[in-house]
Amino acid sequence: RMPSCLLKLTRVVLSHKPWALLILIFVFVSFAYHKLYWGIWEDLKGRGLPYSLSAEISCAHSVPSSLNIAAGHSPSTANVFFVETSEQTTPSYLFSCSVESAARTHPASRVVVLMKGLAKGNTSLRKHWAFSLLSCFPNVEIGPLDMTELFSGTPLAPWYLQPKRHQEPHFLHVLSDACRIVLMWKFGGIYLDTDFIVLKNLQNLTNALGIQGDDVLNGAFLSFKPRHEFMELCMQDFVQNYNGWLWGHQGPELLTRVFKKWCSLRTIKSMRCKGVSALAPEVVYPIPWQDWKKLFEAISALELHNLLKNTYAVHVWNKLSHETKLEIPSQALLAQLYSQFCPATYAKMKQD
């Protein structure tokens, strides 16, 4: 027998046919929409959304809770900048480690990665594992590098617009040299090459650059307040004494020239002069470029501690070391740096 409540519902429907029909149509359409929506969503989940994380990257295991909890970026902390001036859009393990280590040591700062090859609106690049991994860090921002916009309003704007410059043998490196000094002058903050592994927060190293050794300053690390006069002099020297055919002339040699004039020096030494610091080699260049092979040699925990106790970041000299095979895992200095300071990247390396 039909339950009494169902009989009552039947009488109501028969006595209000037009309204009942509308209600039934609404219920049917709602049900169909619900099924269609969740079917499409499940299909998208199965195929992978353009900006979704790679299935092999788990943010819960990659990022410490302190970074996930960190709300907004403090306006008192400077941005950390990385720049890729080539068309490269497949970051290496070292690139990923550089950004990850900076993000971990600067949780209250924006870590901004600017890439020339990252065209605006191109979402397909995000499918690369490094983009997925770095997107786990809430303080990392990856975006396109617009050279014309960056150089506008600076002495380097007319230099960049000369087509003949692009034919020079070291143009990509010169372009990187140009970008870093303009970023520091326009926005201030911290600039790092993508072959650094960051060990400590760099925010207290203000208006500073490092001595790489041999009476030469290097611009792989820069930290300056915006519109600083020293960076303005660097831009002027870049144009006035330009020579794109000599390796390093627009980079380390430029910074060395300007600092010597700034301080009226003949030789570079660790010092602070007129508000600008030349940091001792152990601060950011603890391994001299001539000894880059030490990065691939085994080192004990005690040796590692002693080597790095006064060090904020380690420059890996990728131009020299990029073709050398690194055993993972191992007691090599570089492997130990990966495991301690960019563990998510290191886990991906071991997996691969």
Side-chain angles (χ1 to χ4, degrees), residues 110-273:
R110 292 169 65 225
V111 178
V112 182
V113 183
L114 299 174
M115 304 182 73
K116 184 173 182 287
L118 191 59
K120 292 179 180 177
N122 190 341
T123 62
S124 62
L125 299 175
R126 299 274 178 174
K127 294 178 182 178
H128 189 272
W129 68 264
F131 290 113
S132 294
L133 185 150
L134 295 174
S135 70
C136 292
F137 294 84
N139 55 334
V140 172
E141 300 176 15
I142 301 174
L145 175 61
D146 186 329
M147 303 285 187
T148 304
E149 181 182 347
L150 177 62
F151 295 141
S152 66
T154 76
L156 278 72
W159 163 81
Y160 178 68
L161 294 175
Q162 295 182 37
K164 65 179 182 179
R165 301 294 186 210
H166 299 229
Q167 307 304 317
E168 294 169 352
H170 309 302
F171 180 70
L172 280 181
H173 300 283
V174 170
L175 196 56
S176 178
D177 294 329
C179 287
R180 68 191 69 184
I181 61 176
V182 172
L183 279 169
M184 291 297 94
W185 184 75
K186 275 193 169 183
F187 307 107
I190 296 165
Y191 167 83
L192 291 167
D193 274 359
T194 54
D195 57 351
F196 258 110
I197 299 179
V198 187
L199 319 183
K200 301 172 186 173
N201 192 291
L202 298 160
Q203 293 289 355
N204 63 333
L205 304 178
T206 307
N207 299 330
L209 63 171
I211 300 172
Q212 73 169 34
D214 301 325
D215 193 38
V216 176
L217 291 166
N218 195 308
F221 158 80
L222 296 171
S223 177
F224 280 87
K225 296 289 186 183
R227 308 282 168 162
H228 196 282
E229 186 183 353
F230 184 84
M231 283 292 107
E232 186 173 3
L233 291 174
C234 287
M235 290 193 300
Q236 293 172 5
D237 186 284
F238 188 98
V239 175
Q240 292 169 2
N241 299 305
Y242 184 78
N243 187 335
W245 295 85
L246 290 179
W247 171 260
H249 186 78
Q250 303 304 119
E253 291 184 22
L254 180 151
L255 294 166
T256 303
R257 289 194 304 269
V258 174
F259 189 79
K260 286 182 175 179
K261 291 177 185 176
W262 180 263
C263 300
S264 301
L265 294 173
R266 289 190 175 182
T267 58
I268 298 290
K269 57 184 178 180
S270 177
M271 62 182 297
R272 186 165 182 83
C273 171

Side-chain angles (χ1 to χ4, degrees), residues 2-120:
M2 195 177 287
S4 58
C5 60
L6 205 56
L7 286 171
K8 291 179 182 178
L9 179 61
T10 303
R11 293 192 192 101
V12 170
V13 169
L14 291 174
S15 61
H16 299 84
K17 288 182 181 179
W19 287 109
L21 185 61
L22 286 173
I23 291 170
L24 288 173
I25 292 172
F26 175 79
V27 171
F28 175 79
V29 170
S30 298
F31 177 78
Y33 174 80
H34 178 82
K35 291 292 289 181
L36 180 63
Y37 173 83
W38 285 106
I40 292 172
W41 175 245
E42 290 298 324
D43 183 54
L44 281 173
K45 285 202 297 184
R47 286 183 292 148
L49 293 167
Y51 282 94
S52 66
L53 299 180
S54 168
E56 59 202 349
I57 304 296
S58 172
C59 288
H61 298 295
S62 300
V63 184
S65 58
S66 59
L67 272 175
N68 279 324
I69 294 169
H73 312 301
S74 171
S76 63
T77 58
N79 294 335
V80 180
F81 290 100
F82 291 92
V83 170
E84 176 56 68
T85 53
S86 74
E87 299 293 335
Q88 179 64 253
T89 55
T90 54
S92 65
Y93 296 118
L94 181 55
F95 185 113
S96 175
C97 181
S98 296
V99 179
E100 179 187 345
S101 63
R104 288 180 183 275
T105 50
H106 298 79
S109 301
R110 292 169 65 225
V111 178
V112 182
V113 183
L114 299 174
M115 304 182 73
K116 184 173 182 287
L118 191 59
K120 292 179 180 177

